[in-house]
Amino acid sequence: MTQSSSFPPRIQDFLDVTTATGTQVFFSSDRYLLLSLKRSIVAAAAEAGIECSVHDAGEPGQARDAFGATREVGFFGAKKIVLLDYAESIFPKTKERGGEKKGNNAKKDGDEEENKDKKAGPLAALFEEAVSTPDPENLFIILFNDLDRRTRTFSLIQKKGGFHELAVPTDDVIRAFAQSLFAPIRPTDDLIAHFLPTEQRDLFFIEHEITKLKLWAESRGMTTLSLAEASPILSSLADEILFRILD
C-alpha cells in the first residue's frame, strides 16, 4: 500500500500534476479516501491552470468519453488532466452459480478469470490500451473503489507501473485526523477514543459526527469537550447507515 504523507490523501503526495503524464491508477476500498484524492486533483489542476475533465464510469457514455479525451490535444496544445472515477463499473462482476465449480474441476481458475476479462467488453479493451500505451502528453488518472486482483487487467496495471493503493489509516492517523476536525475545540482523550474502534471506522461518519459536535460546543462557548458531555448528541454508526438508506 502507498502511504500518503498527509491525511486525507492529496494528489501532491504522489505526483506533480504540472509535470506528470501518462496513466496513474489509484485504488482504495474506502470511498472517503478516493473522494478526498479526487477533490485535491481538481483543486491542483485549477491552481495550475490545467484543463481537467471529470468522468463517472458508472454513468452511460462517460467512460468512453474519458478514454477519448486522453488522446485529444488540449487548447493550444496544452496538457490536459482526465479523471475517471468509479472505474470498477467498466468490469461488471459475474455471479458464480453455486456448485458449478465443484461439478466441473476441469475448468481452471485462470480460465475463469480470463473469461471474466473477455466479458468485460470494449471498455475493458480501451482501459488496457490506456494502461499499456499511455498518452505521453496528457495525465490520465483512474480511481477504483473495488478491484479484482485475480484478473489479467490487474496484472497489467501492476506490470506497467503507476499503481497506487491508498493505505488504510492507522489509529494514530485517525486520532490526528479527529483532532484536526475538532480544532479549535480541544477534545479529551476519551472522546477521541470513541472514534477509534473498527466498528466506528467510517470516515464519512467520523467527519459528520465531529462537525456536529464542534458546532454544538462552539455555540455554547466551550473550548474543551469530553465524551460525557458529547454523549447525549452522539449518533451510532448503525443509526447513520440507516439514515443514509432512508434518505
Side-chain angles (χ1 to χ4, degrees), residues 105-234:
N105 291 327
K107 194 165 190 176
K108 298 184 180 296
D109 288 346
D111 294 333
E112 292 177 356
E113 298 310 325
E114 183 178 351
N115 286 337
K116 284 183 181 180
D117 282 334
K118 288 179 179 178
K119 291 177 183 177
L123 290 180
L126 291 175
F127 175 88
E128 292 190 4
E129 180 183 352
V131 173
S132 59
T133 56
D135 188 277
E137 302 298 330
N138 297 321
L139 175 59
F140 190 20
I141 300 177
I142 304 173
L143 306 182
F144 278 92
N145 200 183
D146 187 19
L147 190 57
D148 191 340
R149 299 171 184 273
R150 301 168 297 173
T151 60
R152 184 183 71 248
T153 299
F154 180 70
S155 298
L156 176 63
I157 293 172
Q158 286 192 309
K159 180 180 178 182
K160 293 297 181 179
F163 175 70
H164 313 270
E165 182 175 357
L166 304 181
V168 176
T170 63
D171 282 359
D172 287 341
V173 171
I174 294 294
R175 185 177 290 107
F177 175 59
Q179 289 172 337
S180 69
L181 291 176
F182 269 114
I185 302 297
R186 297 191 301 277
T188 56
D189 291 342
D190 61 348
L191 180 53
I192 293 296
H194 171 77
F195 298 103
L196 296 182
T198 303
E199 60 269 17
Q200 296 281 77
R201 195 65 63 85
D202 181 299
L203 295 172
F204 288 106
F205 169 73
I206 291 174
E207 182 180 60
H208 176 268
E209 283 297 288
I210 292 179
T211 300
K212 178 178 68 177
L213 291 172
K214 177 181 176 180
L215 290 172
W216 179 81
E218 288 179 333
S219 70
R220 285 157 178 76
M222 303 168 70
T223 57
T224 62
L225 186 62
S226 68
L227 179 59
E229 293 168 324
S231 289
I233 57 173
L234 274 172

Side-chain angles (χ1 to χ4, degrees), residues 12 16-19 40-53 74-82 137-139:
Q12 294 89 334
D16 183 349
V17 298
T18 64
T19 58
S40 74
I41 294 168
V42 174
E47 183 178 352
I50 301 174
E51 179 187 353
C52 179
S53 61
F75 291 113
F76 304 106
K79 165 187 173 177
K80 294 168 46 178
I81 297 176
V82 179
E137 302 298 330
N138 297 321
L139 175 59

